Amino acid sequence: MTATFTRRAGLALIAALALSQAASAQSAFPDRAITLVIPFAAGGSTDLVGRVVAERMSEQLGQQVIVQNVGGAGGSLGATQVAEADPDGYTILMGTVATHALNPLILSEKPYDPVADFAPVSLLVLVPNVLAVHPDVPATTVQELIDLAKSEPMSYASSGNATPLHLSGELFKSMAGVDITHIPYKGSGPALTDVLGNQVPMIFDNLPSASAHISSGKLRAIGVTTAERSPAFPDVPAIAETLPGYETYSWNALFAPAGTPPEVVDTLAKAAQSAMADPKVAEKMATFSATIVGSGPDELAQHVAAEMTKWKPVVEGANVSME
């Protein structure tokens, strides 16, 4: 009996130690560096936001958050990498409207499910887009531009097929009742170059990348795509002031792989929210014309569902698809 009792006691002690170690490991998250996958090349607005957030979250979590740029396929390569990563919180994604609303609707082969394959963490910021024209275009308001487009052929540039900016133009076409031709480019840079040179009269672009040209007078901002005016350009009206209900924007949000423990998601969300509440981060985001949200996981899940609902008829109406 004594030997059996001792053996049982030993087994119980081992089990208790294992449970204690497991609980300690969970409570200690993170105990090593976290990789934040940016699904686009360095230098874009998503990369800029991601690096600011990663730096501040590193301070909050006591472990380095390392940025890894994984560009390609409109953000799908990086998103797929995170969807297939271990669900332990050590690999997370800077998701966007492209990765979690447009690509799942546009791609003929779906490399991931934007809902089933991810655990929402936090909606960080909203970034306005802008409709701008070359100064030689004889329109200074949204209504004047609509009237002009109805009277003569016009085209608009964007950073590429099936991008949020392309679809911002398609939504504008649909709501304004105009037939403007889309001219896709391989990125915002070459698109802006041709609009600045008046090879194409108008462009839908992210406000941060177009802002310097607007401020210098090389481009004329006609309207921002958010429901309300941007604090960075308060004199530029929202397109919605002329076309009620028009609203598009880029956004950045954190996602973990599906199956990540709730307590780990909660730790990441609190670190992200704390980062977005930092005055220095707010000041930096203002230079990107970004509006801070800093939501929790539930709010981000609702946001993704609403974005997919909004964009589905636009994608179908524009007959946009990608291999």
Side-chain angles (χ1 to χ4, degrees):
M1 292 291 293
T2 302
T4 301
F5 176 81
T6 302
R7 188 163 53 250
R8 288 176 178 172
L11 292 172
L13 178 60
I14 291 171
L17 286 172
L19 287 172
S20 175
Q21 289 172 351
S24 175
Q26 288 180 352
S27 63
F29 175 85
D31 61 6
R32 63 180 189 273
I34 295 169
T35 297
L36 173 59
V37 174
I38 307 290
F40 301 100
S45 61
T46 298
D47 180 67
L48 295 173
V49 170
R51 290 178 185 277
V52 172
V53 173
E55 181 179 4
R56 189 68 184 94
M57 285 183 67
S58 297
E59 298 171 6
Q60 293 291 318
L61 295 168
Q63 294 288 343
Q64 188 174 7
V65 178
I66 301 170
V67 170
Q68 180 184 23
N69 294 93
V70 183
S76 287
L77 289 183
T80 301
Q81 177 175 310
V82 175
E84 296 175 349
D86 290 336
D88 54 13
Y90 288 98
T91 304
I92 57 178
L93 174 72
M94 181 63 79
T96 69
V97 62
T99 62
H100 277 72
L102 298 181
N103 289 350
L105 294 170
I106 291 168
L107 293 172
S108 56
E109 293 187 10
K110 318 293 185 187
Y112 58 85
D113 185 303
V115 176
D117 292 340
F118 293 91
V121 176
S122 177
L123 176 61
L124 303 174
V125 296
L126 308 179
V127 180
N129 302 324
V130 64
L131 167 57
V133 300
H134 187 273
D136 287 350
V137 173
T140 59
T141 68
V142 173
Q143 189 58 58
E144 288 179 357
L145 187 62
I146 292 171
D147 293 341
L148 182 64
K150 288 181 176 179
S151 67
E152 62 182 59
M154 290 193 72
S155 58
Y156 73 96
S158 85
S159 55
N161 272 320
T163 62
L165 299 165
H166 170 199
L167 292 170
S168 292
E170 294 302 311
L171 183 61
F172 180 82
K173 285 173 60 174
S174 174
M175 294 185 68
V178 296
D179 185 17
I180 51 179
T181 302
H182 176 229
I183 310 295
Y185 288 81
K186 293 183 178 179
S188 179
L192 280 168
T193 296
D194 274 8
V195 177
L196 291 169
N198 205 17
Q199 279 78 45
V200 183
M202 55 191 285
I203 185 172
F204 280 88
D205 194 22
N206 291 131
L207 184 55
S209 61
S211 59
H213 301 300
I214 294 169
S215 296
S216 69
K218 294 179 180 178
L219 287 178
R220 178 188 303 131
I222 297 295
V224 293
T225 65
T226 41
E228 299 179 352
R229 299 187 182 201
S230 168
F233 289 89
D235 294 334
V236 178
I239 293 173
E241 293 175 32
T242 302
L243 298 174
Y246 182 94
E247 183 182 17
T248 76
Y249 46 79
S250 297
W251 47 266
N252 297 122
L254 292 180
F255 296 87
T260 301
E263 61 272 17
V264 171
V265 171
D266 184 60
T267 296
L268 291 168
K270 287 178 178 176
Q273 290 170 322
S274 180
M276 302 316 294
D278 187 290
K280 291 182 179 179
V281 172
E283 182 179 350
K284 190 69 174 177
M285 293 300 166
T287 67
F288 305 151
S289 303
T291 300
I292 289 177
V293 179
S295 81
D298 290 343
E299 292 87 350
L300 175 54
Q302 294 167 11
H303 177 78
V304 169
E307 284 288 273
M308 292 190 72
T309 298
K310 177 179 77 177
W311 284 111
K312 185 176 181 180
V314 179
V315 169
E316 292 176 347
N319 196 27
V320 178
S321 64
M322 289 178 63
E323 295 298 325

